[in-house]
Amino acid sequence: MSENDKEQGVVFEIAVALTKWGDSKRDQSDGDDDCVQVLVNELRKTGLIVERVVGLQNEFVRLAAPPEILGKAAAELKFRKRTRIGMDFPFEWDQASAFVRLPDGSLFSWCERFRCYNHIIYGIVNTGKSVVVLKSAYAEVDWGPGESLLRKLETMLIVKEVFPLHDERKRKQLLKSWAMNWSDFTSQPIDDICSYYGIKIATYFAFLGMYTKWMLFPAALGVTVQFVDFGSLQMLVLPFFFICQISWAVAFFQFWKRKNAALSARLQIYDLAGRESEYRSLRTELSSSVSPIELMKKQSTDRMKEKASFQREEWFRWLMRLRNDAFIILSIICLQLPFELAYAHVYEVIGHDLLKFCLTAVYLLAIQYFTRLGGKIAMKLIKYENNENVEYRANSLVYKVFGLYFMQSYIGIFYHALLHRNFMTLRQVLIQRLLISEVLENLLENSIPYLSYSFKKFRAVRNKGKSEKGPSTGKPRPIPRIEKDFLKPAYAASIGQEIEDGLFDDFLELVLQFGMIMMFACAFPLAFAFAAVNNIMEIRADALKLLAMMRRPIPRADATIGAWLNIFQFLIVTSICTNSALLVCLYDREGKWNLSPGLAAILVMEHVLLFIKFGFSRIVPEEPAWVRAARMKNATQAEKMCSRQVLRSISGDEQWCGETKKNE
């Protein structure tokens, strides 16, 4: 940002990356009909603040929006926002003072502002009746009537990408208060994170912070169990530790649901998209030219047809999901299972510890390729499921990819635990998996984006030097900050980039860690301490990655962790079964499986823990009472206002019909 921009308080939030032509070709295309210049002029006509920046390899258009322009776009999009009386109403710019501002003082969140920018820039269309011919460096562009200018330039590869820009002032504040703040290793500025990145990323870091803070108890207990000799009570220590860990996990996720509900309420997110669509359909029906009585008759007539259509679509989607899930399961059994069992058998045969460690490292690197391949196949299958929206497609991808990683991560450990019953080998495998998967993955996760960014910068400077003719005079021109942002890697998922962002990989890493330490807790209690230390580092590493090594992510309004919560719950149930089996193997070394008092006690303990798992959610409600009361109050008030509007419309229509009959 230039000094003049800083003085005026202009914050450029969106950039359009354009193909940069040579100087001679750019001179030939310069003019009023140049496609880039037309784009800039049209953007200015919308009221946006526009600035062109020429980089070393690309050309950019930076965009900023005054509050009035964002407000009018929000009114066109019919955003529902919280008013000062506590109710949600469609936003109107003329009545902006009636709406509650966010904690940072702004009227719109980053997610809302991004949607407004998209609505404005992609809403530039040819309003004329004839085709407008635009010039570019190599070809002419025919801009047809009613066609979006930006999408047309994207198809012609003139516009490379539209991407968000970092706000340097806020970014540096977050670096100081979040990424580089080690005074309180689990404390995070969630409101500031939500304001800058959106609700989904803020929810992830709120979950990671709470998960890490709660992890300190099982970590301390695991260290005690691992290193303290309890003498004659040693045989009772592992069952006690097992009960504590399962109870801890059940309590944590139930209290996370409560915190998530309170967090959503504080950030004013109440399933905004769903309620917006519902409100829009109702508003369209009420404001249409059809009278309410005719509308109700039409709805009654079409109700049976709509019901049959919805049922057909529902069953079709269910059958497609069943087919795809069966395909994934059979692929795992036929292709991946033999590979996993072969690795586990070779590991058991090898005697040298260094060779075992190298085998595990090679195995984990090799299996990544097969898992990524399976993820791509899953993405292709999801396209045929006819899911209703992106959220359903994302959940379907999460379940399928987790199935692949579940087999890859745990089947070899099950082999050592249940078939060989070798606790020393099992503990060794767990240590190696934790060290390799946690330490090396963190190094790769943070080093690869940095190396990629550094290489792109180096190549841009080198190519610019080669393209310049004649002797060099003075220092080379520095790379503009906007081009540095463009060269940074996008925050995208390694699998399914079309429907998921980088949080997919972060949540997958947490899920696999949770399964590793929970399902084999009795074999290696110290794993919880490894996980706690890793998560403390993970909070700051992920924050630094987002702030310094990645582009600013496109915001998403998901206020929960979605399908990942179901996977965590599944792993808790699986942990009850696996740890019970481990205890049986530990106390029944001869493998006779006699129903002795000890084995009977383990069986009873398993059933009691399953009862605690499914019964605790009935004791502790998923959302605080004040959140539930506020939600019900808002819904009741909205229903009253909507019913009054409908009744007034019906009464007015009946009066109009009566007056018409009298006149006849």
Side-chain angles (χ1 to χ4, degrees):
M1 187 182 299
S2 64
E3 294 298 328
N4 187 34
D5 296 333
K6 291 180 180 179
E7 292 175 1
Q8 296 177 358
V10 177
V11 178
F12 292 98
E13 297 185 298
I14 299 293
V16 181
L18 305 164
T19 301
K20 182 183 178 183
W21 313 109
D23 293 336
S24 59
K25 294 186 178 295
R26 187 166 64 246
D27 293 338
Q28 294 174 8
S29 63
D30 281 345
D32 294 337
D33 55 352
D34 172 38
C35 59
V36 177
Q37 188 60 45
V38 170
L39 175 64
V40 171
N41 295 336
E42 292 293 331
L43 289 170
R44 286 187 175 130
K45 288 179 183 178
T46 63
L48 295 175
I49 301 172
V50 183
E51 181 182 86
R52 291 181 70 170
V53 179
V54 179
L56 299 184
Q57 282 189 320
N58 304 278
E59 189 173 350
F60 302 92
V61 176
R62 298 197 302 176
L63 302 175
E68 181 180 1
I69 302 302
L70 290 176
K72 291 180 179 179
E76 293 176 3
L77 290 169
K78 299 180 177 63
F79 284 167
R80 290 182 65 82
K81 294 189 68 64
R82 179 63 48 84
T83 60
R84 296 183 183 277
I85 62 174
M87 295 180 60
D88 296 345
F89 284 107
F91 181 79
E92 296 291 342
W93 172 245
D94 297 336
Q95 307 296 330
S97 60
F99 294 90
V100 176
R101 293 183 177 270
L102 297 176
D104 63 349
S106 61
L107 192 58
F108 300 105
S109 66
W110 166 232
C111 183
E112 291 169 335
R113 294 200 305 275
F114 186 81
R115 289 180 59 188
C116 289
Y117 277 110
N118 270 353
H119 174 72
I120 294 170
I121 63 180
Y122 283 101
I124 298 174
V125 297
N126 183 2
T127 56
K129 296 182 179 179
S130 59
V131 175
V132 177
V133 179
L134 306 177
K135 293 182 179 179
S136 66
Y138 288 101
E140 293 184 345
V141 179
D142 295 332
W143 184 22
E147 190 175 15
S148 172
L149 176 59
L150 196 62
R151 295 198 185 279
K152 182 66 177 180
L153 297 181
E154 285 177 339
T155 58
M156 299 294 294
L157 302 180
I158 297 172
V159 171
K160 290 185 175 181
E161 193 173 352
V162 178
F163 63 98
L165 290 174
H166 277 291
D167 183 342
E168 284 303 306
R169 181 181 62 84
K170 292 183 178 179
R171 190 182 72 88
K172 290 178 180 178
Q173 287 179 353
L174 284 172
L175 275 171
K176 183 179 179 180
S177 64
W178 180 30
M180 308 304 293
N181 180 21
W182 291 91
S183 58
D184 186 355
F185 48 82
T186 59
S187 177
Q188 302 177 89
I190 298 299
D191 286 336
D192 295 338
I193 298 171
C194 179
S195 173
Y196 191 71
Y197 285 115
I199 182 64
K200 184 177 181 181
I201 291 180
T203 302
Y204 164 74
F205 280 101
F207 175 82
L208 180 58
M210 182 176 175
Y211 177 60
T212 304
K213 188 175 294 185
W214 278 60
M215 182 70 72
L216 298 179
F217 165 73
L221 188 60
V223 171
T224 304
V225 172
Q226 188 78 33
F227 294 109
V228 176
D229 185 8
F230 292 91
S232 59
L233 299 177
Q234 191 69 33
M235 296 296 290
L236 301 177
V237 171
L238 284 181
F240 173 76
F241 178 73
F242 170 41
I243 294 173
C244 290
Q245 302 309 82
I246 297 298
S247 303
W248 164 83
V250 171
F252 165 72
F253 283 102
Q254 196 62 25
F255 280 98
W256 160 250
K257 293 177 185 177
R258 292 175 61 83
K259 181 174 181 177
N260 192 20
L263 181 68
S264 301
R266 193 179 84 229
L267 300 176
Q268 302 178 8
I269 300 295
Y270 292 95
D271 193 17
L272 182 61
R275 293 190 305 152
E276 261 187 29
S277 60
E278 181 181 351
Y279 173 79
R280 286 183 190 177
S281 61
L282 180 60
R283 181 187 176 96
T284 303
E285 292 175 354
L286 291 177
S287 61
S288 62
S289 58
V290 182
S291 66
I293 294 178
E294 294 178 356
L295 183 62
M296 286 186 290
K297 290 180 180 179
K298 182 181 178 181
Q299 289 177 345
S300 177
T301 304
D302 297 340
R303 190 171 299 163
M304 295 302 296
K305 295 181 180 179
E306 291 179 357
K307 181 180 179 181
S309 176
F310 285 143
Q311 287 179 342
R312 284 196 301 270
E313 292 180 2
E314 181 182 8
W315 279 105
F316 177 76
R317 287 194 296 267
W318 183 84
L319 289 174
M320 293 300 293
R321 284 196 296 268
L322 181 64
R323 184 204 67 175
N324 295 343
D325 293 342
F327 180 82
I328 293 293
I329 293 172
L330 289 175
S331 300
I332 291 174
I333 294 175
C334 298
L335 300 177
Q336 197 170 3
L337 183 60
F339 182 77
E340 303 288 343
L341 293 178
Y343 154 75
H345 179 71
V346 173
Y347 188 95
E348 197 73 31
V349 172
I350 294 178
H352 200 280
D353 291 341
L354 181 59
L355 291 178
K356 290 183 176 181
F357 185 85
C358 294
L359 175 66
T360 303
V362 172
Y363 160 76
L364 290 177
L365 291 174
I367 203 64
Q368 292 293 325
Y369 172 78
F370 296 105
T371 308
R372 298 285 173 86
L373 181 63
K376 292 180 180 179
I377 296 174
M379 274 299 303
K380 292 183 178 179
L381 293 174
I382 289 171
K383 294 180 180 179
Y384 297 99
E385 290 183 1
N386 195 23
N387 288 302
E388 296 177 1
N389 53 35
V390 176
E391 182 181 356
Y392 287 127
R393 293 198 296 272
N395 290 343
S396 180
L397 176 67
V398 167
Y399 293 133
K400 290 177 175 59
V401 173
F402 172 73
L404 296 171
Y405 272 91
F406 182 88
M407 182 67 67
Q408 173 252 318
S409 300
Y410 306 128
I411 190 65
I413 305 177
F414 288 147
Y415 179 86
H416 295 296
L418 302 180
L419 295 182
H420 281 271
R421 297 189 173 195
N422 190 337
F423 268 63
M424 293 303 297
T425 303
L426 175 60
R427 187 170 297 175
Q428 189 178 27
V429 170
L430 290 172
I431 293 174
Q432 293 176 0
R433 290 287 186 96
L434 285 171
L435 287 175
I436 294 174
S437 61
E438 300 291 352
V439 177
L440 292 183
E441 283 186 10
N442 278 336
L443 289 175
L444 294 175
E445 180 184 354
N446 292 280
S447 61
I448 289 179
Y450 176 76
L451 293 175
S452 173
Y453 170 58
S454 301
F455 175 73
K456 288 180 180 178
K457 280 203 306 181
F458 169 76
R459 189 174 59 179
V461 174
R462 186 188 61 179
N463 292 342
K464 180 63 177 178
K466 288 182 178 180
S467 63
E468 291 179 348
K469 297 180 180 179
S472 176
T473 58
K475 296 181 179 180
R477 186 163 65 91
I479 302 178
R481 184 173 297 278
I482 187 174
E483 189 162 24
K484 290 181 180 179
D485 276 356
F486 180 67
L487 294 177
K488 290 178 180 178
Y491 189 58
S494 59
I495 300 174
Q497 299 182 7
E498 301 89 343
I499 58 178
E500 274 290 354
D501 55 16
L503 289 181
F504 178 87
D505 296 322
D506 293 330
F507 268 119
L508 182 62
E509 183 181 348
L510 276 182
V511 160
L512 295 177
Q513 178 203 85
F514 182 79
M516 189 81 68
I517 63 177
M518 284 295 298
M519 288 196 293
F520 309 99
C522 292
F524 188 43
L526 195 60
F528 288 89
F530 276 91
V533 174
N534 174 80
N535 291 346
I536 292 172
M537 303 296 295
E538 185 79 15
I539 293 176
R540 308 305 168 190
D542 286 349
L544 191 62
K545 176 182 67 176
L546 279 171
L547 290 168
M549 290 180 282
M550 294 285 185
R551 288 187 201 169
R552 190 176 184 180
I554 295 175
R556 296 181 62 178
D558 299 346
T560 65
I561 63 176
W564 297 109
L565 181 61
N566 297 330
I567 292 177
F568 278 114
Q569 302 285 7
F570 164 77
L571 289 175
I572 293 176
V573 177
T574 307
S575 300
I576 295 175
C577 301
T578 55
N579 281 282
S580 298
L582 286 174
L583 290 176
V584 169
C585 294
L586 182 64
Y587 295 125
D588 184 32
R589 297 184 181 276
E590 297 180 359
K592 296 181 178 179
W593 299 92
N594 294 327
L595 194 63
S596 62
L599 297 182
I602 294 173
L603 185 63
V604 171
M605 181 177 61
E606 177 192 19
H607 285 70
V608 170
L609 290 174
L610 288 172
F611 175 77
I612 292 174
K613 164 66 185 70
F614 294 105
F616 191 75
S617 59
R618 302 294 181 183
I619 300 173
V620 180
E622 294 186 0
E623 59 181 4
W626 67 270
V627 175
R628 186 166 57 253
R631 178 169 49 81
M632 295 299 296
K633 179 181 178 181
N634 193 25
T636 303
Q637 289 175 338
E639 183 181 359
K640 286 181 180 179
M641 294 195 65
C642 184
S643 61
R644 288 174 185 172
Q645 185 179 359
V646 173
L647 290 174
R648 283 197 215 101
S649 301
I650 295 174
S651 300
D653 188 75
E654 289 179 348
Q655 291 177 4
W656 181 81
C657 291
E659 292 176 359
T660 304
K661 289 181 180 179
K662 288 180 181 179
N663 294 332
E664 292 177 353

